[in-house]
Amino acid sequence: MTAMEDRSDLVVRVSGLRKAYGHHEVLRGVDLDLHQGEVIVIFGRSGSGKSTLLRCVNFLEDPTQGTIEIAGMRLSGGHRTRRKREQIRQVRLRVGMVFQQFNLFPNMTALENVMAGPLALGSADQRRLAGRIGGVEGEGGLDRSAVRQRALDLLAEVGLQDKAEQHPIRLSGGQQQRVAIARALAMHPDVMLFDEPTSALDPELTGEVLAVMRRLAVDHHMPMMVVTHEMGFAREVAHRMAFFHEGVVLEQGTPTEMFGNTQQPETKRFLDAIL
């Protein structure tokens, strides 16, 4: 990084990231930046390290080496001191993550699932969240009625206002994934991470989830890191694409560059196989 580099819109910076499980190194020195309003689509073969990258960014996995800068904090792997645990907790409050499986609470309605995160926070974190959202602070933390209204608004945003009182078992896979997106947004994240969000869905349900993600990117300018093989979404929405191969970013560029002028034979072979 040069002294003149503009960092004002930097949301995530991954530097020299390595992750090993025993002798098996999954990430082998990954450098990747995400800027405000930017969508990066991460693609590649199974086992190339894509999902591991996202899990490290959210510190669901500890990096073996390297640093992750997010929410104004720079963290690395290693022993989790009390200070580091608090930093990781603060990072997770600002990073929304949507998984392949929807991971909804089956005993809660869609509305209760979306409300669960904010209401589970301690009073200090509730006050911080209220300050970021605006107009939802009550005595000692968040005003429950305001949290409920915000959850209803988020369900409306993902097209599920009429499913608020339904339990997950009564929802289709696409509807469950849209509830999961609303649940992540309820924490007012600075960035959204999507780990193959449509891979568990039937093809006819994929479009409704991608439409919500498209609106987040285009209408709300939400910074997003998206692991997916949905190349139509990448072509239309991504600002950059990063091809992972054997634990490294082998090639990255705009969709126009990646689809029309790839530089690496491995990238071309992969794209030719899935398009």
Side-chain angles (χ1 to χ4, degrees):
M1 180 183 70
T2 67
M4 299 298 293
E5 182 182 353
D6 181 13
R7 297 167 54 91
S8 61
D9 69 342
L10 185 69
V11 179
V12 179
R13 166 158 288 168
V14 176
S15 303
L17 189 66
R18 293 179 176 270
K19 175 62 182 177
Y21 299 96
H23 296 295
H24 178 51
E25 196 169 35
V26 180
L27 298 176
R28 301 188 296 115
V30 172
D31 298 306
L32 198 64
D33 287 356
L34 177 71
H35 295 269
Q36 189 61 49
E38 188 177 29
V39 176
I40 297 179
V41 163
I42 299 165
F43 68 110
R45 294 180 178 83
S46 296
S48 59
K50 310 180 301 296
S51 295
T52 302
L53 169 68
L54 295 194
R55 293 178 65 84
C56 285
V57 169
N58 203 25
F59 276 84
L60 296 173
E61 299 281 356
D62 261 322
T64 304
Q65 187 176 321
T67 61
I68 295 166
E69 186 176 342
I70 190 168
M73 291 174 283
R74 182 177 295 178
L75 295 96
S76 58
H79 179 64
R80 294 196 175 188
T81 62
R82 178 180 298 180
R83 178 174 180 272
K84 183 177 175 182
R85 286 196 298 270
E86 175 59 21
Q87 287 180 317
I88 290 172
R89 193 177 66 83
Q90 291 299 322
V91 163
R92 288 178 178 164
L93 291 177
R94 291 175 174 267
V95 178
M97 189 157 183
V98 177
F99 300 87
Q100 298 176 40
Q101 302 298 329
F102 324 122
N103 296 337
L104 299 178
F105 299 114
N107 60 321
M108 294 183 180
T109 64
L111 178 62
E112 290 167 340
N113 266 280
V114 179
M115 294 173 63
L119 293 180
L121 298 174
S123 58
D125 286 328
Q126 285 194 5
R127 287 192 294 271
R128 292 190 193 101
L129 180 59
R132 297 175 67 205
I133 297 172
V136 295
E137 188 167 358
E139 185 177 349
L142 291 170
D143 178 72
R144 186 179 179 90
S145 63
V147 172
R148 184 178 189 278
Q149 185 56 55
R150 176 167 162 77
L152 287 169
D153 292 343
L154 287 170
L155 286 172
E157 180 73 23
V158 301
L160 292 174
Q161 61 269 41
D162 60 332
K163 303 294 184 182
E165 301 303 329
Q166 298 289 333
H167 285 78
I169 196 171
R170 307 288 297 177
L171 303 176
S172 70
Q175 290 169 338
Q176 289 185 58
Q177 192 63 294
R178 284 186 281 158
V179 173
I181 294 172
R183 181 178 61 180
L185 293 173
M187 300 298 290
H188 199 66
D190 293 336
V191 58
M192 287 286 288
L193 311 178
F194 292 90
D195 186 7
E196 299 195 44
T198 61
S199 65
L201 301 178
D202 294 332
E204 65 268 24
L205 301 177
T206 295
E208 62 191 47
V209 173
L210 294 178
V212 169
M213 295 169 61
R214 188 178 296 110
R215 287 199 300 274
L216 276 178
V218 175
D219 297 341
H220 300 285
H221 308 290
M222 172 66 73
M224 294 160 52
M225 301 177 75
V226 184
V227 172
T228 186
H229 290 160
E230 297 291 342
M231 292 296 104
F233 174 86
R235 192 189 297 270
E236 181 183 353
V237 178
H239 297 89
R240 272 190 296 139
M241 299 174 64
F243 177 63
F244 268 55
H245 179 67
E246 296 182 353
V248 300
V249 179
L250 188 64
E251 184 174 2
Q252 62 176 306
T254 66
T256 298
E257 291 168 340
M258 298 299 278
F259 289 118
N261 189 30
T262 55
Q263 301 300 304
Q264 298 293 331
E266 283 290 345
T267 313
K268 187 177 189 308
R269 277 194 290 270
F270 181 83
L271 288 172
D272 286 347
I274 67 171
L275 291 176

